[in-house]
Amino acid sequence: MQSETTTPQAVTVRTPQGEDGAQAPAVLLRDIRHDFGDLHVLAGLTLEVAAGETVALVGPSGCGKSTLLEIACGLQRPSSGTVAATPAALVPQRDALLPWADALDNAALPLRLQHVTRAEARRRAEPLLAELGLSGFERARPAQLSGGMRQRVAFARALLTGRDVLCLDEPFGALDAITRAEIHRWLAGALAVQPRTVLLVTHDIEEALVLADRVCVLSPRPARIVAELAVAGARPRDPADPALIALRRQALEALRAC
Amino acid sequence: MLSAVIVLALLGAWELYVQLGSVDELLLPAPSAIVTALVDERALLWSNFTVTATEVGLGILLALAVGLLLAVGLHLSKTAHRAIYPLLVASVALPIPVIAPLLVVWFGYDLGPKVVIVALVAFFPIVVVTLGALSSTDSELLRVLRSMDATRWQRLRFAELPAAVPAAVSGAKIAVAVAVMGAVFAEYAGSEAGLGHMILQSIPQLETARAWAAVVVLATFAISLVALLAIVERRLRATHSPTPRGLS
Ligand SMILES: Nc1ncnc2c1ncn2[C@@H]1O[C@H](COP(=O)(O)OP(=O)(O)OP(=O)(O)O)[C@@H](O)[C@H]1O
Ligand SMILES: [Mg+2]
């Protein structure tokens, strides 16, 4: 089913099967290469994310992080390599909301796709928007929301898919520091109650260290993983923690070195 | 404002030109004569207007229904797009005055052939504008929908159609001018009533002012129809576009 040798053909397996009762990784990317024509974007990248684990991807702009997430979500087939991943919910870098629908309808979209009636879908989405600090804006259209608010609506939409794997592409980049810290706290709490697997792309090393169990540092294009840092401690972590500051220095050095 | 002045000046010059006897009243009636005809012949004008308005209205509705369906079909199937779109573009070159009599022979003298001819000419702008709206749907939005396992129908229903329906009405707005023209030519080709029929009848009877009055009614109708469709389009977009509602 999955070839162990390097094949020129990409193999995609949507649902990984646990073998011998062992817990299969929620996301398994093996030796992923990807080219857009002559542009070599991913140069043989291997990444394994265990169920319930949060892995952050940091790397220079344009190195292929969004491409990697799309491959993990099954939205792109890699030029070569193996993908075995549980179906994931994506928060795209641009929020990609329906411009004519209000915040509640946008967040409730995955429920509508599961044939829940509109009224019921809105009713179910409402508490989540409130928890994300959007009460009072349920009926606002995306154009009336700030960038940070739109990101939170897109995040709510991803959560409401009910998928166990979340692929987040710079989901909190437009938030102010205080709201971002609040969302970090909320997300850490939500993941503690209901564990999910998270692949988090971020430009913010601090955000990666506060939320992730593991931080992968990517090189410039064509991207490889140049460093992997394991982060210990309960989430959300205090960014002022000396251990985190040391890891941060390590990550920055890895980024600078490549 | 300025354009109203220009129109009034042109009408004044026209009136003066006819009053000074430079041209036979039967060839070119004065604006005042046309106004008189509008008042005197209002019953006749009205009954013919309802005939033409029905032809144009039904024709545009038919074109909207078929055009929206065809646009969705062409959007969903690349093969259909490749096969049919060039035919659509070619259909613009169809000379209506030439094919109108043939359709009348085929369908008969009553409402049917007129509606078909109006729909035929109104069809193209509707399909083109709708197709444009369908294919300019945000690709990232479509990818998100696909990642949520939305079926092709759901992508259409939630992301593409909400923009395409107002676009179809916008296409119909563009089509009004040719639709009215199509109705008149269809009536020329063979009919018992309608403003086009009335124009054709009035000329040999030397009722030139009456023919001009019919033209005025026709033009007013076309302009009103464009305005009406603009309102419908705005309404549709209001429920499908980022305008304030419910917030503060
Ligand atoms: N569909 C595409 N066709 C051609 N080139 C593409 C396509 N998508 C991405 N690229 C190119 O691939 C490279 C990687 O893009 P990607 O969006 O994955 O980078 P990124 O790491 O997410 O960047 P950023 O941090 O700015 O979001 C870029 O140079 C981009 O121009
Ligand atoms: Mg990106």
Side-chain angles (χ1 to χ4, degrees):
Chain A
M1 186 165 58
Q2 298 174 11
S3 67
E4 294 302 325
T5 51
T6 319
T7 47
Q9 194 86 46
V11 181
T12 307
V13 184
R14 295 298 302 161
T15 316
Q17 297 300 173
E19 282 159 30
D20 320 325
Q23 178 78 294
V27 178
L28 171 63
L29 303 172
R30 192 181 297 140
D31 208 17
I32 301 293
R33 284 162 205 283
H34 196 71
D35 308 317
F36 288 111
D38 287 340
L39 192 72
H40 303 299
V41 178
L42 302 174
L45 225 141
T46 296
L47 179 67
E48 206 173 295
V49 186
E53 194 185 14
T54 297
V55 171
L57 299 166
V58 296
S61 187
C63 74
K65 303 181 294 295
S66 297
T67 308
L68 189 64
L69 272 199
E70 283 182 7
I71 288 171
C73 290
L75 289 175
Q76 290 252 15
R77 276 175 72 89
S79 304
S80 77
T82 308
V83 182
T86 314
L90 174 69
V91 176
Q93 194 163 357
R94 286 194 306 109
D95 39 62
L97 300 173
L98 300 166
W100 49 80
D102 66 19
L104 213 44
D105 277 332
N106 265 297
L109 182 62
L111 300 174
R112 304 286 312 279
L113 297 178
Q114 291 154 21
H115 307 288
V116 176
T117 61
R118 176 161 182 248
E120 171 66 12
R122 286 174 70 90
R123 202 185 57 71
R124 281 204 236 161
E126 197 161 0
L128 182 57
L129 283 193
E131 283 180 50
L132 294 175
L134 292 171
S135 21
F137 291 93
E138 292 88 350
R139 298 181 71 87
R141 306 256 172 84
Q144 297 167 281
L145 298 171
S146 71
M149 288 171 158
R150 283 200 299 274
Q151 286 186 329
R152 279 174 281 167
V153 175
F155 182 54
R157 177 177 65 185
L159 291 173
L160 285 169
T161 59
R163 299 255 168 103
D164 287 329
V165 180
L166 298 175
C167 288
L168 314 179
D169 199 345
E170 299 181 29
F172 311 125
L175 293 185
D176 64 276
I178 293 169
T179 315
R180 190 183 313 186
E182 267 168 27
I183 291 277
H184 288 165
R185 211 168 312 129
W186 182 88
L187 180 59
L191 289 173
V193 175
Q194 187 193 2
R196 301 210 209 198
T197 309
V198 180
L199 251 177
L200 170 72
V201 167
T202 176
H203 272 138
D204 182 353
I205 296 176
E206 191 172 292
E207 176 170 82
L209 293 170
V210 165
L211 287 176
D213 302 307
R214 190 148 51 98
V215 179
C216 294
V217 180
L218 302 185
S219 69
R221 210 176 50 232
R224 295 168 295 113
I225 295 178
V226 290
E228 270 193 57
L229 311 171
V231 196
R235 301 176 291 187
R237 307 180 186 98
D238 176 10
D241 184 331
L244 247 59
I245 292 174
L247 281 170
R248 185 196 166 100
R249 189 169 312 126
Q250 236 176 300
L252 284 172
E253 267 160 25
L255 274 170
R256 219 171 285 132
C258 54
Chain B
M1 187 57 210
L2 194 62
S3 44
V5 172
I6 293 172
V7 169
L8 282 177
L10 282 174
L11 284 175
W14 177 356
E15 182 78 38
L16 216 61
Y17 176 64
V18 179
Q19 293 297 338
L20 291 175
S22 327
V23 63
D24 188 340
E25 271 267 9
L26 290 178
L27 298 181
L28 183 68
S32 57
I34 298 170
V35 171
T36 310
L38 275 170
V39 176
D40 293 349
E41 311 274 13
R42 60 186 178 279
L44 190 63
L45 283 166
W46 175 257
S47 67
N48 283 298
F49 160 77
T50 55
V51 171
T52 305
T54 307
E55 293 161 3
V56 172
L58 289 180
I60 286 181
L61 281 179
L62 178 65
L64 261 175
V66 180
L68 193 58
L69 274 178
L70 184 73
V72 169
L74 297 190
H75 179 66
L76 292 180
S77 159
K78 276 206 179 73
T79 316
H81 193 287
R82 255 201 314 276
I84 297 175
Y85 197 73
L87 296 179
L88 263 175
V89 175
S91 80
V92 178
L94 280 182
I96 296 303
V98 177
I99 56 162
L102 299 175
L103 286 176
V104 169
V105 168
W106 183 15
F107 290 112
Y109 264 44
D110 48 3
L111 190 61
K114 277 87 178 179
V115 172
V116 169
I117 290 169
V118 171
L120 265 179
V121 294
F123 191 57
F124 179 73
I126 292 174
V127 175
V128 171
V129 176
T130 310
L131 212 48
L134 282 170
S135 57
S136 61
T137 313
D138 181 0
S139 63
E140 189 140 1
L141 178 57
L142 291 176
R143 262 189 299 176
V144 170
L145 278 166
R146 218 171 304 140
S147 84
M148 298 193 289
D149 282 341
T151 60
R152 187 68 193 88
W153 159 247
Q154 286 177 324
R155 273 179 273 152
L156 194 66
R157 151 90 177 73
F158 288 106
E160 294 168 325
L161 275 184
V165 173
V169 175
S170 172
K173 207 173 61 186
I174 298 168
V176 164
V178 282
V180 169
M181 207 173 71
V184 168
F185 274 115
E187 288 173 11
Y188 284 177
S191 61
E192 275 123 30
L195 291 169
H197 171 80
M198 194 175 164
I199 293 167
L200 205 62
Q201 294 284 299
S202 302
I203 293 167
Q205 293 171 9
L206 302 180
E207 294 278 8
T208 326
R210 191 207 280 163
W212 277 91
V215 171
V216 170
V217 172
L218 212 49
T220 311
F221 169 57
I223 292 166
S224 315
L225 194 53
V226 170
L228 175 73
L229 288 171
I231 292 169
V232 172
E233 186 196 347
R234 209 170 320 130
R235 278 281 166 82
L236 283 171
R237 283 200 200 280
T239 54
H240 293 302
S241 71
T243 44
R245 189 196 69 185
L247 181 74
S248 75

